[in-house]
Amino acid sequence: MSAFEKLDNLKHQFGKFIGPSLCILLGIYFYMKTASVTVIEQFNPNGAPIKHELIQGPEFRIAALFFILVGIIWLLYVLNVLRSFIGIGVTVLALAGAVFLLYKDYSIIKQDVDFNNRKELIFKEIKGRINDIKIAENEFKNEKGYYTANMDTLVNYVKTGYTIQYNRKGTLPVRRLTRDESNFIYGKRANKALDNNITDVEAKALLKMNPVPADLTGIVRDTVYVPVIESVFEAPSYVEQRAKKGLMFDFVPDSLRYIPFSGQTPVIMDTASVSRGELKISTILIQMPHPIDTSFTHKIGDLNDNSLKDNWSLK
């Protein structure tokens, strides 16, 4: 036998052991992985990283042992220790079982990852919905002087209500009132001292003077009532903010009633008031239980305080 034939024979003999050796090593590697914790990093809607620790299930360990068994049976077959069809059948069945168990373990992990992704998606939508309600309640309170716990009232206000908008154009001149201007605003009997520069309120009053002072021409200081839905929820800045947050749905007033992805479960709202000296201040609490993570209820506000802080920033 020539040197080349010996080398070719050696390669052939060595090649027979590669398959079973890799199978055994792969099984040992998988078995060692069962003792470690897999960390998957995701990000919540605020951009903060969230780490989920995943521990391999028993299927993964059994699959690893199957791979080792397949490698041993394969090795015995190569060494001519095992030559029966039963041995081949056992090898094939063990390999098929190992592959099946690995796929099942992968499916379990994927379900866990999908669950966490969906949970964070719902969290983002809940956060956006509570923020919409908070804005609507603030507008309602600015108009009425108190919060409302009645969702029908709030939705109707968003659809048909009005809010004050300040129309301010032009820069006030830096000067004091003249005596004639002071008399026009406050009356001659007031004999007001002319110590301070013109204010917005005074400028607005002087716009009714005839003739209007020359340096106030073109100045606008006025308040107008505009629809809440247009000035707040359809404003370009508000629409842009919702887009940046990655919210799935456009704003719809009637959607304020329900917790996102909950099958029209109503939002929980309650109102009260607290005393600050002789002043009574309206308070509100808005709550949304997470539809699939029942261990946490998203809240904003406090019945015993006029704060509108949320409870998820500390989560």
Side-chain angles (χ1 to χ4, degrees):
M1 181 181 293
S2 67
F4 287 108
E5 289 176 335
K6 289 181 179 179
L7 181 62
D8 187 62
N9 184 57
L10 182 63
K11 287 171 59 180
H12 175 70
Q13 293 297 326
F14 178 74
K16 292 193 298 182
F17 291 96
I18 292 178
S21 298
L22 288 177
C23 197
I24 293 173
L25 290 174
L26 190 63
I28 294 173
Y29 171 76
F30 285 152
Y31 192 84
M32 292 174 63
K33 289 289 289 183
T34 61
S36 62
V37 177
T38 302
V39 178
I40 298 178
E41 185 173 87
Q42 297 171 304
F43 296 88
N44 69 15
N46 296 322
I50 299 177
K51 293 184 178 180
H52 298 288
E53 294 185 349
L54 300 177
I55 300 175
Q56 300 291 353
E59 296 88 353
F60 198 84
R61 179 171 296 183
I62 296 173
L65 294 175
F66 269 137
F67 268 97
I68 295 173
L69 176 62
V70 168
I72 293 173
I73 295 174
W74 192 350
L75 185 62
L76 292 174
Y77 183 83
V78 170
L79 294 172
N80 293 320
V81 176
L82 187 64
R83 275 293 186 180
S84 67
F85 287 106
I86 295 176
I88 297 174
V90 170
T91 303
V92 173
L93 289 175
L95 183 60
V99 172
F100 171 75
L101 290 172
L102 283 176
Y103 173 76
K104 187 175 181 181
D105 187 75
Y106 165 78
S107 299
I108 292 172
I109 293 177
K110 186 176 184 302
Q111 288 174 6
D112 192 34
V113 172
D114 290 343
F115 173 82
N116 286 320
N117 286 335
R118 181 167 177 77
K119 184 173 71 173
E120 295 303 328
L121 169 66
I122 295 174
F123 166 78
K124 180 169 61 177
E125 293 296 327
I126 286 177
K127 182 182 174 184
R129 185 69 51 82
I130 290 183
N131 186 61
D132 289 340
I133 296 174
K134 182 181 77 171
I135 292 173
E137 286 283 4
N138 279 334
E139 293 295 334
F140 183 90
K141 182 173 180 286
N142 289 338
E143 176 66 19
K144 308 293 185 180
Y146 57 90
Y147 295 116
T148 178
N150 188 305
M151 188 57 80
D152 290 335
T153 301
L154 185 65
V155 170
N156 184 65
Y157 173 74
V158 171
K159 289 179 177 179
T160 63
Y162 287 80
T163 185
I164 295 176
Q165 189 174 81
Y166 295 94
N167 190 11
R168 192 174 188 275
K169 295 180 181 179
T171 304
L172 294 182
V174 182
R175 67 172 179 84
R176 299 172 183 177
L177 291 171
T178 66
R179 178 53 62 187
D180 287 341
E181 291 170 345
S182 177
N183 291 341
F184 178 79
I185 297 173
Y186 301 105
K188 292 182 179 180
R189 292 184 179 181
N191 195 27
K192 182 176 174 63
L194 308 178
D195 297 332
N196 301 314
N197 290 330
I198 295 176
T199 66
D200 275 342
V201 175
E202 291 170 336
K204 182 179 178 181
L206 290 176
L207 293 176
K208 299 177 182 179
M209 197 174 182
N210 189 15
V212 175
D215 57 359
L216 294 180
T217 302
I219 294 289
V220 177
R221 295 294 185 271
D222 202 0
T223 56
V224 293
Y225 281 88
V226 292
V228 172
I229 189 72
E230 294 178 11
S231 64
V232 179
F233 295 102
E234 293 178 359
S237 58
Y238 179 79
V239 174
E240 183 179 352
Q241 285 179 2
R242 288 180 62 86
K244 286 182 178 179
K245 292 175 181 177
L247 298 178
M248 294 179 60
F249 309 109
D250 295 332
F251 175 79
V252 177
D254 283 306
S255 68
L256 295 176
R257 304 174 185 273
Y258 309 115
I259 300 171
F261 298 97
S262 68
Q264 295 191 340
T265 300
V267 175
I268 303 169
M269 290 199 309
D270 197 8
T271 57
S273 63
V274 293
S275 298
R276 295 289 185 269
E278 297 181 356
L279 183 65
K280 276 197 172 183
I281 301 175
S282 181
T283 60
I284 188 169
L285 176 62
I286 306 167
Q287 302 181 77
M288 290 192 189
H290 198 292
I292 65 174
D293 183 5
T294 55
S295 65
F296 189 76
T297 296
H298 304 79
K299 301 177 184 179
I300 194 168
D302 189 335
L303 293 180
N304 299 313
D305 191 13
N306 63 337
S307 168
L308 287 179
K309 293 180 180 178
D310 63 72
N311 71 332
W312 57 80
S313 297
L314 302 176
K315 182 173 179 252

